[in-house]
Amino acid sequence: MSETDRPAVLFHRDDALWLPQRACVGPWSDDLLHGGAVAALCVSQAEQATDDPGWITSRVTLDLVRPVPRAPLEVETEVLRAGRRVRLVEISVRADGREVVHARVQRTAHEQIALLESELPSVRPAPPPDLPEDFIGPDQYRPLARPIPFVEESSEIRVPDSEGPFGTGAITAWVRIQAELLPGQRLSPAASVCAAGDFTHAFGSPEPVHAMRLYFPNADLSVHLSRTPVDAWVRMAPSAVWETSGVGHARCELSDRYGTIGTSVMTLVLSTP
């Protein structure tokens, strides 16, 4: 593999410190991380702390306590519950001694259960109406108004419109996070999907992102998964509500190639520039 073919890397390590790389940078500033990079870090650390075959990352809650700087980060992980079927991991991310992210990741043991006909969902899961191959990629749609390394270097976003993922208002997209957590360490499908979850508000924006009159950063991110995704690709079908109170709510139904796998939800803080 040539140098140019190598995937982007989100972090390097220096003993206990995590060093964010350019591929982590988000839309707000060259000095601040994209929430997706932070989600990938937190989920990966929780999976490592409960590294047993057959466990599913079933819930992730991420509180973005402060903007996360592109600076050395300390990550503290504690297993709060180590049950037979459910394990709960708490993660604290700190920059210069101050907590910037507080996360909890729930992992659930897979156990085959036989359901009666009456216990099955009334609407059976079905494959999505489209696949990543049906949409167009970055080489076919309008470039971003300004460079966003996490979007351009760490992610592949495929959409049905040549205006691109942020050029039309609310849009359904297929996303995969291609970046490695560390050099040579790929993200798990669940960590990749949770990282993609931080695009929820952008895909649900009522207007093209570059034309927005308001700022709408997310204060949190919650992802619920009912099963492990088959691969890194996730279909995100958004909806959003913005209120005159200055609070918004964005949600995506998440699917893989075989059907629904869960939801992503976030609280938005609306403000004028």
Side-chain angles (χ1 to χ4, degrees):
M1 179 180 291
S2 70
E3 190 73 29
T4 56
D5 291 333
R6 292 177 180 172
V9 173
L10 297 176
F11 298 93
H12 287 173
R13 291 292 299 271
D14 181 7
D15 293 328
L17 296 176
W18 293 78
L19 309 179
Q21 302 302 296
R22 173 183 159 81
C24 288
V25 172
W28 309 109
S29 165
D30 291 341
D31 299 321
L32 298 176
L33 304 196
H34 194 284
V38 180
L41 173 60
C42 291
V43 175
S44 297
Q45 290 305 284
E47 290 175 337
Q48 182 175 323
T50 55
D51 185 19
D52 289 318
W55 286 76
I56 298 167
T57 298
S58 52
R59 175 173 58 84
V60 176
T61 57
L62 204 72
D63 287 312
L64 302 171
V65 180
R66 296 179 179 86
V68 184
R70 186 180 172 186
L73 303 175
E74 298 175 90
V75 180
E76 297 177 0
T77 303
E78 181 182 0
V79 178
L80 298 181
R81 177 181 179 184
R84 187 182 69 85
R85 290 292 309 277
V86 176
R87 293 181 179 175
L88 183 62
V89 184
E90 187 170 63
I91 303 101
S92 176
V93 181
R94 297 178 178 273
D96 196 25
R98 303 178 70 197
E99 187 173 55
V100 291
V101 176
H102 192 92
R104 286 191 172 190
V105 177
Q106 178 178 286
R107 307 202 72 217
T108 307
H110 180 276
E111 185 171 304
Q112 196 65 35
I113 300 294
L115 297 178
L116 301 174
E117 185 70 23
S118 60
E119 296 169 330
L120 293 170
S122 57
V123 178
R124 303 295 172 85
D130 46 66
L131 294 172
E133 297 79 14
D134 300 322
F135 285 2
I136 61 175
D139 57 336
Q140 296 174 283
Y141 55 65
R142 181 192 296 269
L144 300 177
R146 60 178 295 269
I148 304 175
F150 185 79
V151 174
E152 297 174 303
E153 300 175 18
S154 299
S155 312
E156 181 178 357
I157 302 175
R158 302 185 70 87
V159 293
D161 193 289
S162 61
E163 289 297 311
F166 312 120
T168 64
I171 191 169
T172 295
W174 280 92
V175 184
R176 65 173 173 174
I177 306 302
Q178 304 179 100
E180 296 176 335
L181 180 71
L182 294 165
Q185 182 177 332
R186 299 179 62 182
L187 296 174
S188 70
S192 179
V193 166
C194 291
D198 202 67
F199 288 119
T200 295
H201 57 334
F203 295 152
S205 168
E207 297 178 8
V209 171
H210 63 79
M212 290 298 301
R213 183 182 62 86
L214 300 176
Y215 291 143
F216 56 111
N218 56 307
D220 55 27
L221 170 64
S222 296
V223 178
H224 289 251
L225 298 176
S226 56
R227 60 178 174 82
T228 299
V230 295
D231 59 20
W233 280 108
V234 59
R235 184 182 192 269
M236 303 182 66
S239 62
V241 176
W242 290 19
E243 299 286 356
T244 56
S245 62
V247 178
H249 172 271
R251 178 184 183 277
C252 277
E253 179 180 337
L254 306 177
S255 304
D256 64 11
R257 296 172 182 271
Y258 295 110
T260 300
I261 57 173
T263 57
S264 58
V265 180
M266 52 175 57
T267 303
L268 310 182
V269 180
L270 311 179
S271 63
T272 55

